[in-house]
Amino acid sequence: MWHYRSIVREAWHRTMAVANFLCGLHVTNTYLCTAALAYGPSMLPTFNLTGDLFLAERLSTRFDKVRPGDVVLVRSPENPRKLIVKRLLGMEGDSVTYAVDPKNSSRCNTVVVPKGHVWIEGDNIYASRDSRQFGPVPYGLLEGKAFCKILEAEAHVMTSGTFVL
Amino acid sequence: MWHYRSIVREAWHRTMAVANFLCGLHVTNTYLCTAALAYGPSMLPTFNLTGDLFLAERLSTRFDKVRPGDVVLVRSPENPRKLIVKRLLGMEGDSVTYAVDPKNSSRCNTVVVPKGHVWIEGDNIYASRDSRQFGPVPYGLLEGKAFCKILEAEAHVMTSGTFVLYGHLKNLVPWDKRNEESRSIRLFVAAFRDLILLS
């Protein structure tokens, strides 16, 4: 009986310690700083095609410290389960001039970003789906500001045809 | 020395207990269920003008269980620091017909809600700023779904001109039965006010 109780107490304390650590990790991830993997062609040459691990901090977006030129992590207005990485080009009230379809024409549009919204564009405008397609994005969808790359993936094709990342 | 160490350890344990409780409260608030105060004329008669405390759960929006007709808590697309309460009227792909300016004309527009967006409108379309003004709202801005009112505020003006706000514990009171319980209290307050006037 005495054995059993001390084992249960020790198990409880260890479980609580692990739970506390995971909670702390989760709070850090949600409110301070998170890591994310960016892949795809829309942010070349800033981010690789095959994937770059970077850190995004959550304080700038919470305290309105993001400025045009920052690379931001945004919840996609087209698919709320997806996070996208783009560059912020205009805050509310700014006049943004953008190339509508740079592959086929050199036509440019100018638009004023409405109140409470921001304008985001990928660095690789030839292969990016951003505010030029889905319009200005409400500020509430901004999730973080990227500040540092921690792992840059390089891909090599081996003779057997498998990717080595 | 021995005294000091045990005091520090006890203080640490108590602080950790309080911190754990606050963390648990915060996690519940963010991922399960939160309380919010709705005020303003845009959701009459569902919500009062002067303020209604209600509970909003966070699971429906996270797991795509919201449907047209639900009252949702949304982060405002015009001011990201503000949360607004509106009724969801259309999911992505739905065709929504709405009155553009019901006070001045009876003109209606029909719009198809784009992918990843929802259409929200206040119940009181004559005094509501919603998707009819700022367009469909991205689904990512939905914060919760209201399911239950916990406190309905009633305001009375006393002779000195101050507002007296008091509430009654109610649960999902139908609009036509709302005033029955509080009528006696209102009569009492009115009588009290008359007494003050007389004296």
Side-chain angles (χ1 to χ4, degrees):
Chain A
M1 185 65 193
W2 164 83
H3 240 292
Y4 180 66
R5 182 177 289 193
S6 77
I7 287 175
V8 166
R9 188 184 316 137
E10 189 179 341
W12 173 252
H13 281 307
R14 290 192 182 190
T15 312
M16 285 311 287
V18 171
N20 276 339
F21 171 71
L22 293 178
C23 276
L25 198 65
H26 173 78
V27 164
T28 311
N29 231 24
T30 315
Y31 295 103
L32 283 179
C33 172
T34 182
L37 182 73
Y39 62 92
S42 67
M43 283 295 284
L44 287 168
T46 315
F47 287 119
N48 259 335
L49 185 69
T50 39
D52 270 344
L53 205 62
F54 65 97
L55 290 178
E57 48 99 356
R58 308 269 193 184
L59 301 170
S60 298
T61 44
R62 188 174 285 270
F63 295 116
D64 283 332
K65 295 273 181 281
V66 281
R67 289 291 165 260
D70 293 340
V71 175
V72 287
L73 195 62
V74 181
R75 191 158 291 281
S76 164
E78 299 183 311
N79 183 355
R81 295 191 181 281
K82 216 169 65 161
L83 286 166
I84 57 180
V85 189
K86 298 280 181 265
R87 194 174 290 273
L88 195 97
L89 287 193
M91 304 294 291
E92 63 182 16
D94 292 349
S95 242
V96 174
T97 307
Y98 62 96
V100 179
D101 190 9
K103 274 201 275 196
N104 301 333
S105 79
S106 57
R107 192 163 62 97
C108 282
N109 258 1
T110 306
V111 71
V112 174
V113 183
K115 187 172 173 314
H117 288 66
V118 296
W119 188 269
I120 57 172
E121 268 184 43
D123 283 349
N124 180 14
I125 55 172
Y126 299 96
S128 164
R129 200 169 163 71
D130 45 37
S131 283
R132 296 170 298 147
Q133 279 83 34
F134 47 68
V137 164
Y139 189 94
L141 290 179
L142 291 188
E143 300 255 334
K145 172 181 137 181
F147 64 96
C148 151
K149 262 197 266 189
I150 53 178
L151 206 65
E152 246 180 67
E154 308 220 20
H156 296 272
V157 181
M158 304 278 283
T159 52
S160 64
T162 50
F163 269 104
V164 170
L165 222 66
Chain B
M1 184 65 194
W2 165 84
H3 238 295
Y4 179 66
R5 183 178 288 195
S6 77
I7 286 175
V8 166
R9 190 186 315 139
E10 189 177 341
W12 173 253
H13 280 307
R14 290 192 180 189
T15 312
M16 285 309 290
V18 171
N20 275 340
F21 171 71
L22 292 178
C23 275
L25 198 65
H26 173 76
V27 164
T28 311
N29 229 24
T30 314
Y31 295 104
L32 283 180
C33 172
T34 181
L37 183 72
Y39 61 94
S42 68
M43 282 294 285
L44 288 167
T46 314
F47 288 117
N48 259 336
L49 186 69
T50 37
D52 269 346
L53 204 63
F54 66 96
L55 290 178
E57 47 99 355
R58 308 267 194 187
L59 301 171
S60 297
T61 44
R62 188 173 285 271
F63 295 115
D64 282 332
K65 295 273 180 282
V66 281
R67 288 291 166 261
D70 294 340
V71 176
V72 288
L73 195 62
V74 182
R75 191 158 291 280
S76 166
E78 301 183 307
N79 183 355
R81 297 192 180 282
K82 215 169 68 161
L83 286 167
I84 58 180
V85 190
K86 298 279 180 261
R87 195 174 291 272
L88 194 98
L89 288 194
M91 305 293 292
E92 63 183 15
D94 291 348
S95 241
V96 174
T97 308
Y98 61 98
V100 179
D101 190 9
K103 274 201 274 199
N104 301 334
S105 80
S106 58
R107 193 163 62 97
C108 282
N109 258 1
T110 305
V111 71
V112 174
V113 182
K115 187 171 175 313
H117 289 66
V118 295
W119 188 268
I120 58 172
E121 269 184 42
D123 283 349
N124 181 15
I125 54 174
Y126 300 95
S128 163
R129 199 169 163 72
D130 46 37
S131 283
R132 296 171 298 148
Q133 279 83 31
F134 47 67
V137 164
Y139 188 94
L141 289 179
L142 291 187
E143 300 256 335
K145 172 181 138 180
F147 65 97
C148 154
K149 265 198 264 188
I150 54 178
L151 207 65
E152 250 183 64
E154 307 218 20
H156 292 271
V157 182
M158 303 281 283
T159 50
S160 63
T162 51
F163 269 104
V164 170
L165 217 69
Y166 59 90
H168 318 273
L169 279 168
K170 295 178 195 239
N171 261 335
L172 279 178
V173 181
W175 180 248
D176 51 349
K177 295 197 173 34
R178 176 184 71 110
N179 290 323
E180 281 177 14
E181 285 172 48
S182 61
R183 197 177 45 176
S184 53
I185 303 188
R186 283 218 307 272
L187 283 174
F188 172 73
V189 170
F192 186 59
R193 188 181 63 213
D194 290 341
L195 266 175
I196 295 186
L197 268 177
L198 281 174
S199 61

